[in-house]
Amino acid sequence: MSALFFDDVSVWFGEGRDRVDAVRHANFRVGHGESFGLVGESGSGKSTIMRALTGLAPDWSGRMAVNGNPVRSGHRRDRNFYKSVQMVFQDPYASLHPRQSVDQVLSETLHLHGFRDIEPRIVRLLDDVGLGSAFRFRYPHQLSGGQRQRVAIARALAPEPSILLLDEPTSALDVSVQAEILNLLTDLRAEHKLTFLMVSHDLAVVAHMCERIAVMQAGEIVEVMGVDEMRALTPAHPYTRKLLQASLGYTRG
Amino acid sequence: MTPLLEVEDLWVRFPTRTGILDAVRGVSFTLGRERLGIVGESGSGKSMTGRSILRLIRPPGQVTAAHIRLDGEDLMQKSEAQMRQVRGERISMVMQDPKFSLNPVMSVGDQLIEAWRVHKKGSRSEARERALGMLEAVSIRDPERVMRAHPHELSGGMGQRIMIAMMLIPDPELLIADEPTSALDVSVQAQVLQIMDRLVQDRGMGLIFISHDLNLVADFCDRVLIMYAGRVVETCEADKLHEAKHPYTRGLLNSLPRLDAPQKRLEVLRRDPSWAETPSVRPS
Ligand SMILES: Nc1ncnc2c1ncn2[C@@H]1O[C@H](COP(=O)(O)OP(=O)(O)O)[C@@H](O)[C@H]1O
Ligand SMILES: Nc1ncnc2c1ncn2[C@@H]1O[C@H](COP(=O)(O)OP(=O)(O)O)[C@@H](O)[C@H]1O
Ligand SMILES: [Mg+2]
Ligand SMILES: [Mg+2]
């Protein structure tokens, strides 16, 4: 049984003439405790895969399962789903409510998931993400981009999920802050035995974080490779080679 | 020969409740018909440096400089009316997000045509021809369709190319691009850079390219200024950026994950208070 299972998954938006086939016949599995990456140019369908899984893209076909439990069609995911699967997005500015303090964000999430011992959990979550209690009563505008992303990660960890979906989690951050957040994610994965599904346009980031990587092009997974293949620049598919070449630097045309 | 741009001892200050905040502290540099990169973390003063050249710092922010000369003329001495002319015609600026720079309720074509007529006072049909030409110059394949489109109907990469087209209409001597590709993904980024590169070469334009992406600046620019806490801590030839000496620059470079060198943990930047105190260096 895999942590995440995608079998012949297709996802589309709109109907008739306006229909966009965003993901076509995607197949992959992510093992328990594995970190799996999705790369490909913008619009290739990476985020859509995550959104279909979490119910944000309701039109899909095929089969998806989380820890062996089939995901049903439609918008709704039950509380059990969110107990297993949580998401962290690219933009920590957009994903936190400006009028909610860190304390409010975390206690609301903890309440929602039926926890009673809110107080000690908030302290532990802040500690886990390297913020400490000094940040507890701050509002988003009083936090730097990196600190906001730590709050977003704390919120994602609150229900004690086994799987984190990470959509460009460091793309909006300075490289110095990116290093701190990626180190934090590495530590959290080891401590909490987490499974990661991670999207990034930065191939070096994905190589650093993931053991296996799927390459997407125009809605299709064209290749799944091990990180060693990627680092050795010996992928099988010509598109992957092109992508790797582009990431090695801007070349004057 | 006079350089295109000479900036001498530039300061940008903001009065705050707790005292004066020096956002830019004594920055000096000159620019020829070349690509100058400005890199550094967010808050290091890159945008304020770019905007103060155009005298676009809003009060209560204050700009002082010994001089900011464009072709030998001191912009610091110009009236606001004269500055508007400089902004329209001689220096253009492209910002990170085209959504905030394009008019959402006007078609792309009308915006380009209007921009052209403001500067060149030609007929509408002539303006239309030129607008189509501009779109082709920024590698837009179906310019007729794009002319009819509204900004929300365009992808980020397309919007940014149109912004560049718009900024190039007056044929500026200097283009200031502030994180012009940071909102775009790598594949689109490369196209936009190629367009700017060609324009620098074909038109002999000067370019100030502001970015937080060290690899991009190393590949794309001729020279680089590295900023920290409002100061220039180091300058170098862009292709020597990876041999940079300053511990701040080294720290930034070392914090990047690398495809060719796996690491267990990424190096974390350790800041030294002295970096912010040493006076700005000036490019040799
Ligand atoms: N809500 C939506 N409505 C219509 N099309 C969409 C929507 N969301 C995404 N798409 C389209 O689906 C495709 C895949 O998008 P996405 O998964 O966001 O790409 P990626 O994350 O790889 O950049 C793109 O063509 C995009 O325009
Ligand atoms: N209106 C303002 N009032 C006070 N400080 C400001 C204002 N605008 C910018 N700053 C400060 O100026 C510094 C430099 O900002 P900026 O040039 O935008 O940085 P960068 O572009 O390198 O991210 C930052 O520390 C920022 O907080
Ligand atoms: Mg995406
Ligand atoms: Mg800026």
Side-chain angles (χ1 to χ4, degrees):
Chain A
M1 186 184 70
S2 319
L4 292 170
F5 171 74
F6 294 81
D7 178 34
D8 198 28
V9 171
S10 297
V11 190
W12 61 93
F13 297 100
E15 316 178 348
R17 237 170 23 128
D18 295 328
R19 173 167 160 148
V20 178
D21 289 293
V23 175
R24 286 178 290 161
H25 310 293
N27 292 298
F28 65 96
R29 293 158 182 265
V30 184
H32 288 285
E34 193 184 7
S35 178
F36 189 92
L38 288 175
V39 300
E41 63 192 57
S42 136
S44 58
K46 307 180 297 291
S47 299
T48 300
I49 286 190
M50 290 187 174
R51 303 186 64 191
L53 180 67
T54 53
L56 295 168
D59 294 322
W60 58 275
S61 63
R63 292 193 300 147
M64 299 191 280
V66 172
N67 296 327
N69 302 313
V71 172
R72 273 185 232 115
S73 56
H75 274 294
R76 290 266 167 139
R77 298 283 178 273
D78 55 18
R79 199 201 277 169
N80 267 337
F81 177 87
Y82 291 112
K83 263 205 145 353
S84 311
V85 182
Q86 285 286 318
M87 248 186 116
V88 177
F89 299 95
Q90 169 170 353
D91 191 350
Y93 296 81
S95 65
L96 294 178
H97 193 288
R99 285 173 191 277
Q100 268 192 333
S101 69
V102 173
D103 181 75
Q104 285 168 315
V105 172
L106 297 180
S107 51
E108 193 172 281
T109 310
L110 288 164
H111 266 297
L112 209 68
H113 286 276
F115 291 107
R116 292 288 161 82
D117 49 342
I118 307 269
E119 171 68 27
R121 279 183 184 268
I122 291 182
V123 173
R124 191 158 1 115
L125 282 169
L126 287 176
D127 212 42
D128 269 357
V129 297
L131 279 177
S133 298
F135 288 87
R136 182 163 167 187
F137 297 102
R138 295 219 194 160
Y139 287 85
H141 72 269
Q142 297 168 310
L143 301 171
S144 69
Q147 289 163 348
R148 287 180 210 213
Q149 202 55 304
R150 286 175 193 267
V151 174
I153 293 169
R155 178 180 58 188
L157 292 175
E160 304 187 323
S162 58
I163 300 166
L164 280 191
L165 310 181
L166 305 161
D167 194 350
E168 305 269 11
T170 60
S171 300
L173 305 175
D174 281 317
V175 293
S176 50
V177 181
Q178 165 172 279
E180 293 171 13
I181 297 290
L182 293 181
N183 284 344
L184 171 67
L185 287 169
T186 302
D187 293 345
L188 290 171
R189 183 179 157 214
E191 275 163 38
H192 301 265
K193 308 209 166 27
L194 297 169
T195 301
F196 285 172
L197 176 61
M198 180 177 198
V199 166
S200 176
H201 70 274
D202 186 329
L203 300 191
V205 166
V206 167
H208 178 70
M209 296 295 292
C210 303
E211 287 97 46
R212 285 191 306 142
I213 296 104
V215 182
M216 293 194 70
Q217 180 187 25
E220 287 181 56
I221 293 180
V222 297
E223 176 165 14
V224 177
M225 64 188 157
V227 67
D228 294 335
E229 262 173 279
M230 181 161 155
R231 289 195 189 277
L233 309 178
T234 55
H237 199 278
Y239 177 72
T240 314
R241 282 200 289 275
K242 206 182 110 198
L243 206 62
L244 282 165
Q245 216 55 51
S247 86
L248 290 176
Y250 166 80
T251 37
R252 273 164 209 164
Chain B
M1 206 181 90
T2 6
L4 177 60
L5 183 76
E6 302 160 89
V7 175
E8 182 70 29
D9 202 25
L10 171 68
W11 290 74
V12 179
R13 299 185 175 91
F14 290 96
T16 67
R17 242 178 297 165
T18 49
I20 302 283
L21 185 141
D22 296 317
V24 177
R25 307 200 269 176
V27 166
S28 305
F29 63 92
T30 61
L31 176 78
R33 317 241 162 225
E34 60 179 332
R35 294 159 298 203
L36 177 72
I38 304 183
V39 288
E41 293 166 288
S42 53
S44 57
K46 307 182 296 294
S47 294
M48 292 299 142
T49 300
R51 296 176 67 89
S52 48
I53 294 166
L54 280 163
R55 298 239 319 262
L56 279 176
I57 308 288
R58 280 189 213 96
Q62 296 156 7
V63 183
T64 62
H67 58 248
I68 300 177
R69 291 197 194 113
L70 180 66
D71 290 323
E73 278 175 61
D74 192 356
L75 302 181
M76 293 301 287
Q77 305 302 326
K78 288 196 185 288
S79 67
E80 183 49 37
Q82 290 172 317
M83 269 319 284
R84 266 199 297 276
Q85 209 156 14
V86 170
R87 281 179 214 130
E89 288 171 11
R90 301 175 61 190
I91 308 179
S92 286
M93 187 154 182
V94 180
M95 316 270 196
Q96 176 165 350
D97 197 338
K99 272 194 238 98
F100 298 116
S101 316
L102 292 171
N103 184 342
V105 297
M106 207 171 163
S107 75
V108 166
D110 285 346
Q111 293 187 55
L112 288 168
I113 288 169
E114 186 178 288
W116 196 80
R117 290 186 77 187
V118 165
H119 293 294
K120 308 282 164 162
K121 318 261 183 291
S123 71
R124 193 174 158 87
S125 60
E126 192 185 350
R128 207 187 125 72
E129 275 313 299
R130 295 297 297 262
L132 281 169
M134 284 320 303
L135 290 178
E136 272 160 22
V138 295
S139 303
I140 284 182
R141 260 171 271 138
D142 41 0
E144 292 279 359
R145 185 184 66 81
V146 170
M147 290 277 277
R148 288 192 301 274
H150 282 73
H152 70 269
E153 297 168 286
L154 305 165
S155 68
M158 193 97 97
Q160 200 56 303
R161 277 184 274 170
I162 288 163
M163 268 318 296
I164 292 173
M166 192 90 93
M167 293 303 133
L168 293 169
I169 283 178
D171 233 331
E173 297 154 68
L174 172 61
L175 180 67
I176 301 173
D178 190 353
E179 308 262 5
T181 60
S182 302
L184 310 177
D185 72 293
V186 262
S187 51
V188 188
Q189 212 173 55
Q191 290 171 11
V192 172
L193 292 177
Q194 260 174 29
I195 290 162
M196 289 204 294
D197 198 18
R198 222 179 38 231
L199 292 165
V200 171
Q201 280 171 16
D202 297 354
R203 300 179 178 219
M205 198 176 67
L207 175 69
I208 296 180
F209 185 83
I210 296 172
S211 174
H212 68 279
D213 187 331
L214 286 99
N215 284 328
L216 190 64
V217 166
D219 286 335
F220 180 65
C221 293
D222 301 306
R223 278 190 307 135
V224 185
L225 309 181
I226 298 110
M227 290 191 73
Y228 181 77
R231 297 192 191 272
V232 176
V233 295
E234 183 167 20
T235 77
C236 63
E237 299 294 313
D239 56 7
K240 301 274 182 337
L241 182 60
H242 289 273
E243 297 153 35
K245 298 268 164 15
H246 194 282
Y248 171 63
T249 321
R250 291 252 46 97
L252 288 182
L253 290 166
N254 291 339
S255 67
L256 290 168
R258 295 175 53 155
L259 256 187
D260 58 350
Q263 297 155 277
K264 273 253 164 333
R265 295 185 72 73
L266 296 170
E267 226 175 90
V268 169
L269 183 68
R270 284 184 207 296
R271 290 161 209 278
D272 182 334
S274 74
W275 298 346
E277 265 130 50
T278 326
S280 284
V281 300
R282 114 196 344 264
S284 40

